[in-house]
Amino acid sequence: MKKIKMLKGECWWGGKAPDGCFMPYDENSSTTVDIRGRSSENDQSASMFLSSCGRYIWNDNPFRAEFKNGEIILTDERESPFDIQEGNKTLKGAYMAAMKKHFPFTGTLPDKLFFTSPQYNTWMELGTEQTTENILRYAQGILDNGLPTGVLMIDGGWQEDYGIFEFNKGKIPDPAALVYKLHKMGFKVMLWTSPIVSAAGVRFKELRKKGYFLKTKDNEIAIRHWWSGYSPMIDFTNPEAVEWMYSQLDNLVERYGIDGYKFDAGDASLYADDDIIYKPMPARNQTTAFNIMGEKYKFNEFRAAHNSGGRPIVARLHDKNHTWDNIGLNTLIPNTTVQSLLGYAYSCPDMVGGGVYGSIDGIDEELFVRWSQANALMPMMQISLAPWRVLCEDSYKLVKKSVMLHKKFGKYIYGLAKESAKTGEPIFRCMEYQFPNEGFEHINDQYMLGNEYMVAPVITKGTVSRKVKFPKGTWCDEKGRVVSYGDETLTLDAPIDKLLYFKKA
């Protein structure tokens, strides 16, 4: 156990992206962040905390941090060494120091298309009805309604069974023809996949014989509960299991022209610290092994990641509810803040409007529009529910406006991504990161895109104006008009058709 005395006014971020709404932690906080074990959280994490006063805490293994009575109490039963550093002055200084030492960027990044065009995911629109007819209808709808092409992800339901990497011929009888048509339409094509195998059939017997599954401490095949049932999991600490997975995925690339994969699951909740695996490690670090396996593909996406900052992976926030709060729109900025500070620069918010399948009883059109605006100047933008289908004409035009704004900024965003690959600096930056000591520690409804653009979306229902806190310097609106000479807070009009964003002069 280690104790760290918090400094007056010091604020901390880190641990797990889903906890972003509760951050920063300060001397008045009373909370515990447990990164160890089979957590129920399904998102990006790292065994690290960063301070606005230039301090950081790092451990190669997951640990428990309790913020209480002005102290941080660190617990790690494995007695792994903590790296606790200070003297870096600011949040940015702490991030850069920790990044260079513990998760330096590789110099490579996901494919350019992720940053320059929107992504389209078939999940919320089609569910498991991933048929040739449905997929092509969805893709054609994108074109017919004037949206730009980009990455198209065919989600769960395309394959014969979990662990069987072949198309379900009853749904998609000619996969090569489908992929060819999608390519001709201008899309790159990704497929949903996971480390999960159905607990019956030929594939289960094959992989059990090879010894590629996780085992429990009792040396039995580990059968884990997940959202679609109970299944064994592939052990990606085993190099032979990784090569087997590559053989399956590469076969789909070669036979059908698949461009890449959405790597789902891999959550810490599916692993256990006492799993018998090829290379023993904590549960959270098995998620890291999953990330390392999938980063080979330039078209990739992960919802679960751990200690994988700097890796060339697309990190998508966990599925959000179609709500203003309660794991809805309110989480987008604070969770992406933590995601970026943990080193996941190539970040993607959840699908516009929310991505919890079956949870939407009715569409809140105002929410859908405001969501698209909040997302428009983030590193990536992903659409699932077809906005042209679920929205009235006026609302659809506003969502399309947001999509086209994101497309317009594509070249700039990709430039930031290339810089991130070299320097490790985030694309999305919280206000405190960019403007230390200006009172932005608790501002979690504004953000920076690089060091030039400040974005202040409306995230409260029924709101047509909002307060914007401006940093020092001259700030212009989207038409180049000076709005503020900085170091002030203004209340600005923000009708439903307007996203407030500003460029530093």
Side-chain angles (χ1 to χ4, degrees):
M1 179 186 294
K2 289 184 179 294
K3 292 186 178 181
I4 298 174
K5 179 72 174 177
M6 297 182 71
L7 306 176
K8 185 173 180 59
E10 185 175 32
C11 292
W12 290 82
W13 293 260
K16 299 185 288 187
D19 293 342
C21 293
F22 310 114
M23 298 182 203
Y25 305 126
D26 58 27
E27 56 194 319
N28 298 314
S29 296
S30 180
T31 190
T32 298
V33 181
D34 198 342
I35 312 170
R36 308 167 302 174
R38 297 179 66 182
S39 165
S40 61
E41 301 290 2
N42 310 318
D43 222 322
Q44 292 77 45
S45 61
S47 304
M48 177 179 71
F49 289 90
L50 304 168
S51 152
S52 60
C53 294
R55 300 199 285 177
Y56 76 74
I57 302 165
W58 173 273
N59 197 311
D60 289 336
N61 289 317
F63 59 88
R64 180 178 184 267
E66 182 179 9
F67 294 79
K68 186 177 181 181
N69 299 326
E71 288 186 323
I72 307 174
I73 304 167
L74 306 174
T75 306
D76 173 33
E77 292 86 351
R78 294 172 178 267
E79 298 184 355
S80 306
F82 282 94
D83 180 20
I84 303 173
Q85 299 289 336
E86 56 185 41
N88 300 295
K89 297 183 180 180
T90 64
L91 176 62
K92 177 178 177 177
Y95 168 84
M96 295 299 288
M99 179 272 296
K100 289 175 182 177
K101 186 172 182 180
H102 295 289
F103 51 97
F105 278 56
T106 64
T108 57
L109 66 164
D111 192 87
K112 177 181 180 180
L113 195 61
F114 282 112
F115 308 99
T116 59
S117 293
Q119 305 159 26
Y120 302 94
N121 185 296
T122 61
W123 178 243
M124 291 294 287
E125 187 68 14
L126 303 183
T128 58
E129 294 303 309
Q130 306 287 332
T131 67
T132 297
E133 180 182 13
N134 289 341
I135 294 166
L136 289 176
R137 183 190 305 116
Y138 182 65
Q140 190 62 49
I142 293 167
L143 302 182
D144 290 346
N145 287 278
L147 294 178
T149 57
V151 175
L152 192 146
M153 301 179 185
I154 300 174
D155 216 285
W158 64 270
Q159 62 196 124
E160 285 187 10
D161 200 356
Y162 302 113
I164 304 294
F165 292 89
E166 185 52 79
F167 284 85
N168 183 318
K169 293 302 174 65
K171 294 180 177 180
I172 304 174
D174 192 342
L178 170 62
V179 176
Y180 175 79
K181 289 177 182 178
L182 292 172
H183 282 164
K184 288 284 287 183
M185 296 167 90
F187 296 99
K188 293 293 185 179
V189 182
M190 295 173 62
L191 293 178
W192 181 96
T193 189
S194 77
I196 294 164
V197 177
S198 289
V202 175
R203 188 50 47 83
F204 172 77
K205 294 177 181 178
E206 173 193 345
L207 298 187
R208 179 180 61 183
K209 184 177 181 180
K210 292 177 181 291
Y212 292 171
F213 288 133
L214 311 180
K215 290 186 176 181
T216 68
K217 62 182 179 180
D218 299 319
N219 206 35
E220 299 289 339
I221 300 295
I223 304 297
R224 295 286 152 79
H225 183 207
W226 63 296
W227 57 88
S228 288
Y230 295 82
S231 304
M233 303 276 296
I234 298 173
D235 173 13
F236 289 121
T237 74
N238 184 335
E240 291 186 2
V242 170
E243 288 304 314
W244 177 85
M245 187 70 166
Y246 286 155
S247 72
Q248 304 302 304
L249 301 180
D250 290 348
N251 181 54
L252 292 168
V253 172
E254 294 164 6
R255 291 177 64 193
Y256 305 125
I258 298 301
D259 297 293
Y261 297 95
K262 170 183 174 177
F263 294 99
D264 206 356
D267 310 295
S269 58
L270 296 173
Y271 302 111
D273 287 338
D274 58 5
D275 281 337
I276 296 177
I277 52 181
Y278 183 87
K279 182 180 180 181
M281 60 180 61
R284 281 268 176 191
N285 292 7
Q286 290 195 57
T287 298
T288 313
F290 183 44
N291 303 150
I292 293 171
M293 180 278 296
E295 71 181 7
K296 164 186 174 181
Y297 301 92
K298 287 185 72 68
F299 286 94
N300 70 68
E301 181 194 275
F302 289 88
R303 179 180 46 73
H306 179 69
N307 278 8
S308 287
R311 298 190 181 281
I313 63 173
V314 172
R316 179 179 64 82
L317 290 179
H318 184 244
D319 304 8
K320 307 300 181 190
N321 294 323
H322 183 70
T323 56
W324 294 89
D325 51 17
N326 185 31
I327 318 180
L329 177 57
N330 67 309
T331 68
L332 221 59
I333 297 174
N335 288 9
T336 305
T337 289
V338 178
Q339 189 183 46
S340 297
L341 289 174
L342 297 180
Y344 300 102
Y346 316 121
S347 58
C348 180
D350 188 34
M351 306 158 193
V352 171
V356 179
Y357 186 75
S359 67
I360 301 179
D361 295 326
I363 296 294
D364 182 334
E365 298 203 10
E366 180 190 0
L367 172 64
F368 211 106
V369 170
R370 292 302 196 186
W371 199 307
S372 72
Q373 292 171 348
N375 190 165
L377 296 182
M378 288 182 169
M380 299 181 190
M381 190 176 202
Q382 188 170 124
I383 304 290
S384 188
L385 274 177
W388 61 87
R389 183 183 64 82
V390 300
L391 302 175
C392 71
E393 183 178 355
D394 288 343
S395 294
Y396 172 68
K397 287 179 179 178
L398 295 180
V399 171
K400 181 180 178 181
K401 179 180 177 182
S402 297
V403 174
M404 300 312 291
L405 179 64
H406 182 78
K407 177 74 174 175
K408 176 182 176 182
F409 271 77
K411 183 178 179 180
Y412 175 72
I413 294 172
Y414 182 57
L416 293 174
K418 290 192 291 184
E419 283 300 308
S420 288
K422 296 175 184 177
T423 68
E425 281 223 68
I427 303 170
F428 174 107
R429 304 174 189 179
C430 68
M431 300 301 295
E432 177 63 22
Y433 178 97
Q434 194 65 32
F435 303 103
N437 306 314
E438 293 191 37
F440 284 102
E441 297 94 332
H442 294 276
I443 299 294
N444 62 4
D445 61 353
Q446 300 174 205
Y447 65 89
M448 292 294 296
L449 177 62
N451 59 14
E452 290 187 49
Y453 291 93
M454 182 176 70
V455 189
V458 169
I459 57 173
T460 305
K461 186 174 179 61
T463 300
V464 292
S465 67
R466 60 154 293 168
K467 291 182 178 180
V468 180
K469 179 175 170 61
F470 285 89
K472 295 175 183 177
T474 303
W475 293 88
C476 300
D477 66 12
E478 73 278 8
K479 295 183 179 180
R481 299 171 299 199
V482 174
V483 176
S484 172
Y485 289 101
D487 197 19
E488 62 180 342
T489 299
L490 301 177
T491 298
L492 301 175
D493 290 337
I496 188 65
D497 63 346
K498 187 174 184 62
L499 167 65
L500 296 173
Y501 66 96
F502 313 90
K503 185 176 182 179
K504 190 171 184 180

